[in-house]
Amino acid sequence: MNPDNPTPETPVKPLLDHHADALDAATAMRLQTARQAALSPDARRRARSHALWLWTAPLATAASVGLLALGLDWHTGHEPEMPTLEDVEVLAAHEPADLIEDYEFYQWLPDEGSASEEP
Amino acid sequence: MDNVIWSPSIQWRSLKPEFSVVARDKERTSEQQYALNAFLTAVERRAFRMAEFATHNPDDALDIVQDSMFKLVERYRDRPEAEWGPLFQTILQSRITDWYRRQSLRRRLFGWLKPSDDEDEGDILETIADDDALDPAEQLALSRDSEALLAGIARLPLRQQQAFLLRAWEQLSVEDTARAMGCSEGSVKTHYFRALKALRAMGGLE
């Protein structure tokens, strides 16, 4: 097997396509509803305002965890792992900033077609 | 005093260009909505299965897919249609990775509150594997090959799983896969190679 371009003999794509097509009706309906919501400007507006509120919950959670950990540390003598600033960011992050600011990605996109490589 | 006589025809002429611009924009928006709907319809089931392989939870998988759809439409709908595929995969994989990180962090922060069972605290993205069984109804509906393959994929560590699904299912190039996964091309090759090896060892691939 060539490690640079190994190709499985099993017909992976048809098998997985079949798996995707075999979704139950309820899940397919939920996906359809999700798609329609994504395409609706009103639903997106509501989601934006909802996301703004959601920002506060993880921050409050992270702050509470820190206080709880400190309190239990004092009470039990157990030494918990304290949340770092990075942890707070992960908890609070609803939008991956790297995607929004991924300038290199957009530089790469125009050349994407010519550089395609079959797996 | 100016004797300006209002005439409906004059007003209509002055507004006509605006109406035509609005109508053209509306038409373009409608075409774009149609194209976006077609694109999302084509990818939504595969995206759901990918997220489900990673999370082993249909509700979380649905949230990830819905979030990815919102993100694509909200921020990138005006990008050329040819870019929607790579963009959607990048958003989806980013959401899946974020989900894993949050799960890992929650375990780290709250896990010590539960009775300890000597969990391995390594890099969750590299080490996490699943022991959950697939839905029995699905297993019956699929061939033996499919069962072995699906069970094998579900047990792969996340990064191997992502590399395998993007390369072998989505047919992305190494470069596109690296972009979608946010890692180097070398890492993609390594993860993919290890995924194939693991799947062969588990009987999921010939």
Side-chain angles (χ1 to χ4, degrees), chain B residues 57-142:
Chain B
N57 181 318
D59 291 330
D60 286 347
L62 197 75
D63 283 348
I64 287 171
V65 174
Q66 178 167 2
D67 208 22
S68 304
M69 287 176 169
F70 266 79
K71 180 82 172 183
L72 182 82
V73 176
E74 179 80 3
R75 292 191 180 272
Y76 305 111
R77 64 176 177 268
D78 292 328
R79 306 289 303 183
E81 281 184 49
E83 295 177 11
W84 290 347
L87 278 167
F88 184 74
Q89 279 304 330
T90 305
I91 297 166
L92 181 69
Q93 300 309 322
S94 172
R95 289 289 191 267
I96 290 172
T97 306
D98 285 350
W99 181 91
Y100 253 113
R101 289 198 173 120
R102 275 197 291 273
Q103 293 296 312
S104 170
L105 183 57
R106 284 190 187 122
R107 258 192 294 274
R108 191 154 60 85
L109 291 178
F110 298 104
W112 59 274
L113 290 170
K114 298 173 188 169
S116 173
D117 53 4
D118 294 323
E119 277 184 89
D120 181 16
E121 292 293 335
D123 182 356
I124 193 110
L125 294 181
E126 299 295 338
T127 60
I128 238 175
D130 179 63
D131 294 326
D132 293 348
L134 292 167
D135 179 50
E138 286 178 356
Q139 287 189 1
L140 283 172
L142 295 169

Side-chain angles (χ1 to χ4, degrees), chain A residues 1 35 48 87 96 106 108, chain B residues 74 76 95 108 176 200:
Chain A
M1 186 166 59
R35 170 169 30 92
R48 266 200 305 272
D87 294 341
Y106 293 103
W108 155 83
Chain B
E74 179 80 3
Y76 305 111
R95 289 289 191 267
R108 191 154 60 85
D176 291 354
R200 285 193 174 103

Side-chain angles (χ1 to χ4, degrees), chain A residues 20-94:
Chain A
D21 291 339
L23 266 186
D24 62 281
T27 306
M29 183 62 76
R30 289 174 74 191
L31 275 174
Q32 187 184 333
T33 307
R35 170 169 30 92
Q36 285 165 352
L39 291 169
S40 155
D42 289 342
R44 289 202 304 276
R45 208 172 298 122
R46 280 196 299 274
R48 266 200 305 272
S49 58
H50 184 60
L52 197 65
W53 280 105
L54 282 179
W55 258 88
T56 55
L59 288 172
T61 305
S64 305
V65 166
L67 289 172
L68 181 67
L70 278 175
L72 284 174
D73 183 25
W74 170 78
H75 184 70
T76 63
H78 184 282
E79 194 171 335
E81 213 171 334
M82 292 299 294
T84 62
L85 187 61
E86 192 184 344
D87 294 341
V88 173
E89 279 176 7
V90 170
L91 275 180
H94 191 67

